[in-house]
Amino acid sequence: MSVPVTTSSSGPSTTVIKGELHCALTGKSIGPEHAYWAPPLITTRQLITTFVQTLFTNPGALGEVLLGELPNVPYDPAVRQELGNRRTAEQLKLLVFLLMIAAVLIVPMMLIVW
């Protein structure tokens, strides 16, 4: 099985995968020919933790951490719908978190101005 991999310096390349793979979501063994390849699932907690740790330890790397492309990981095609639902839930959690931060910052300013 060959998997297209994108690298930042040389463009797309092909990596040959031999042997058995494990689904990144369930851990179930899957064959390379049946694997569904997609970016890894990143939870809101992982994203916020990584952001804060990088901000305090190496602020210059924030651009690479937040905008860098992650390598695709194998998923079982049977969990594709569950993966989509989990990604949607994590996006909603992040949106609510960001709106709460915005409200905490904006409401006091609005009260001071009025």
Side-chain angles (χ1 to χ4, degrees):
M1 165 102 200
S2 62
V3 178
V5 177
T6 303
T7 58
S8 58
S9 60
S10 62
S13 65
T14 302
T15 302
V16 177
I17 305 293
K18 293 181 181 176
E20 198 167 288
L21 301 171
H22 296 279
C23 176
L25 191 61
T26 62
K28 177 182 170 186
S29 295
I30 52 176
E33 64 278 354
H34 299 294
Y36 164 66
W37 293 87
L41 177 67
I42 299 174
T43 64
T44 302
R45 177 181 293 239
Q46 290 171 330
L47 181 63
I48 293 170
T49 302
T50 302
F51 176 79
V52 171
Q53 286 177 346
T54 305
L55 182 65
F56 288 117
T57 58
N58 188 6
L62 272 177
E64 180 63 31
V65 168
L66 295 176
L67 302 175
E69 186 174 346
L70 296 173
N72 288 338
V73 295
Y75 291 101
D76 183 2
V79 299
R80 192 171 185 174
Q81 184 64 37
E82 180 185 349
L83 178 64
N85 292 341
R86 297 258 319 256
R87 286 188 196 278
T88 301
E90 293 301 328
Q91 290 171 349
L92 286 173
K93 283 189 232 177
L94 183 61
L95 178 63
V96 167
F97 178 74
L98 293 174
L99 288 174
M100 286 176 33
I101 289 176
V104 167
L105 295 175
I106 293 173
V107 169
M109 284 190 260
M110 294 300 291
L111 292 175
I112 291 173
V113 172
W114 288 356

